[in-house]
Amino acid sequence: MKHFTGFMLACLLGIFSVQAQESKPGVPPSFSWPQERQELTFESMAPVDATKLLEEDMVLDTIKDIPWRFGTPIYTDMSPQNAGSWYVYENGDRLWRLGIKSPGAYALTLIFDRYILPAGAELYVYNTDRSRVIGAFTDYNNQEDHYFATTLIEGEELVVEYFEPHGVAFPGELKIESVNHAYRDPLDYVK
């Protein structure tokens, strides 16, 4: 049986501590916004040559000592300073939203190489039909190396939403190092 610890899962489950994925119950603040404020611009990722990767996998899949690969990273440097949009509430609370699209992906994950949240801040990641929401991730998920990884979000689009209340001890820091594009179905390993 193929290993289910491929590149993306190693990043998601092995390298990062269990603490990285723990979250508290919550609902992204924008879910209560009126329809006219719901529009969001999406950042499109560089194309993934799935044909080439699948050809490589025809050889790699025969090697039992290496993990089963189903995704590839697309390196970025997206952050609240250079992507997405901010909304500032009348009371000074702030909300950053970023849409990400990677055409042809079965699923997407995010690797943050800068994740430092103040107490009271919340991070959510969800698909565009809102059927899958992960978070709220908080300052509890801060780690010494400042890395943070999300689990799989099915589909080729996702939304990152960061809420920061007015008066926090310091501004939060977020930077997405890579968008991991699942070019084949991660559940295929069991078929």
Side-chain angles (χ1 to χ4, degrees):
M1 183 170 173
K2 298 174 184 172
H3 287 273
F4 189 50
T5 56
F7 169 76
M8 287 174 43
L9 289 179
C11 289
L12 299 174
L13 302 175
I15 295 173
F16 301 98
S17 71
V18 173
Q19 178 181 354
Q21 279 296 306
E22 289 186 28
S23 64
K24 71 173 198 169
V27 176
S30 71
F31 284 18
S32 64
W33 285 3
Q35 187 61 38
E36 62 271 10
R37 209 183 319 152
Q38 293 292 335
E39 287 192 34
L40 182 64
T41 302
F42 281 76
E43 297 283 338
S44 289
M45 298 296 96
V48 169
D49 188 346
T51 302
K52 179 183 176 199
L53 293 166
L54 290 167
E55 286 173 3
E56 293 172 2
D57 289 337
M58 289 174 65
V59 173
L60 295 174
D61 287 352
T62 65
I63 305 170
K64 296 185 186 298
D65 294 340
I66 63 172
W68 187 73
R69 181 178 75 170
F70 64 87
T72 188
I74 302 168
Y75 292 98
T76 76
D77 69 348
M78 293 182 293
S79 73
Q81 288 73 39
N82 63 18
S85 57
W86 281 99
Y87 176 79
V88 180
Y89 293 84
E90 289 182 16
N91 67 357
D93 293 350
R94 304 182 322 145
L95 186 73
W96 176 66
R97 295 173 71 218
L98 170 65
I100 297 173
K101 181 174 187 164
S102 191
Y106 283 94
L108 300 171
T109 66
L110 302 175
I111 305 292
F112 291 84
D113 62 349
R114 199 81 183 147
Y115 179 97
I116 308 170
L117 299 191
E122 297 178 341
L123 178 75
Y124 298 89
V125 181
Y126 52 91
N127 59 5
T128 52
D129 70 4
R130 299 178 178 179
S131 62
R132 173 98 161 107
V133 178
I134 57 173
F137 303 110
T138 66
D139 62 316
Y140 180 77
N141 303 101
N142 291 343
Q143 299 183 102
E144 284 186 30
D145 64 4
H146 306 301
Y147 267 81
F148 180 76
T150 69
T151 191
L152 292 164
I153 297 288
E154 298 79 12
E156 60 183 30
E157 294 181 343
L158 60 74
V159 178
V160 181
E161 184 166 317
Y162 171 65
F163 174 75
E164 187 174 275
H166 177 69
V168 291
F170 58 89
E173 295 181 42
L174 292 170
K175 186 165 102 35
I176 300 170
E177 177 183 63
S178 65
V179 175
N180 295 302
H181 175 114
Y183 60 88
R184 57 181 175 171
D185 189 342
L187 297 179
D188 275 350
Y189 82 101
V190 296
K191 295 178 183 175

